[in-house]
Amino acid sequence: VPPTDVEVPERNLFKIQINSSDKLLVEGEPWFSTNRELTNKIKIFILNNGQDPNSSDNPGDAIVSLKADRGTTHKMFIEVLDACQAAYHEIYSERAGVSVAEWREISSDPNASPEAREAYDKGRGAMPGGGVEIPMALSIAEPTKVGG
């Protein structure tokens, strides 16, 4: 069965685009701030819980979309990807009551100990049946042609 397109309400998509000059558009606006500020903006989006009607309904529906031109440098792509992942790692570590460095270690092997599994499940919000409250919903689109 071929994959089907899934309709995602616009408010649940946080769009980041990087052009061939390594310039960013964040939610359709030119971005001139730091990657740290981008991480903070993503966290606010993920944790909106419907408060701002122009932002995500809840963390389970929030999707961070990253798209680059073919001319985007690898360095810039990785920096922006790291900022996106940092938002999730910070949310998870805060919920688990550990540092981000500790979270990264826990998440690299959540079954290392019962304590690690407990922190991992708490951070992501494990639900009965196997789902999580806050999945790392990061969509990386195929690169577009330069300028596309």
Side-chain angles (χ1 to χ4, degrees):
V1 177
T4 57
D5 288 338
V6 176
E7 284 293 318
V8 176
E10 196 69 28
R11 68 179 280 170
N12 289 326
L13 278 177
F14 187 91
K15 296 180 187 172
I16 303 167
Q17 295 175 279
I18 314 169
N19 71 15
S20 58
S21 300
D22 285 349
K23 303 291 186 218
L24 270 65
L25 277 182
V26 174
E27 293 289 279
E29 299 291 327
W31 183 260
F32 302 108
S33 294
T34 64
N35 285 343
R36 174 72 251 161
E37 290 178 38
L38 179 59
T39 295
N40 289 340
K41 190 170 176 86
I42 293 168
K43 285 172 61 178
I44 291 166
F45 167 79
I46 294 166
L47 299 174
N48 181 59
N49 283 309
Q51 292 175 334
D52 177 347
N54 297 313
S55 195
S56 73
D57 291 319
N58 62 66
D61 290 336
I63 299 171
V64 178
S65 171
L66 176 57
K67 188 170 189 169
D69 281 348
R70 292 203 188 280
T72 300
T73 65
H74 183 261
K75 180 181 185 294
M76 176 58 85
F77 181 81
I78 295 300
E79 285 176 5
V80 175
L81 178 60
D82 284 349
C84 296
Q85 291 177 323
Y88 285 99
H89 289 300
E90 289 176 17
I91 290 168
Y92 297 155
S93 67
E94 288 166 14
R95 290 171 50 101
V98 298
S99 71
V100 173
E102 289 169 319
W103 174 260
R104 288 178 185 268
E105 189 171 322
I106 289 166
S107 65
S108 71
D109 186 6
N111 294 316
S113 70
E115 294 81 15
R117 173 46 73 181
E118 184 179 335
Y120 186 74
D121 289 345
K122 184 177 179 182
R124 296 175 71 231
M127 299 186 305
V132 294
E133 293 173 20
I134 306 178
M136 187 180 287
L138 184 54
S139 170
I140 301 173
E142 286 290 319
T144 53
K145 292 179 182 174
V146 172

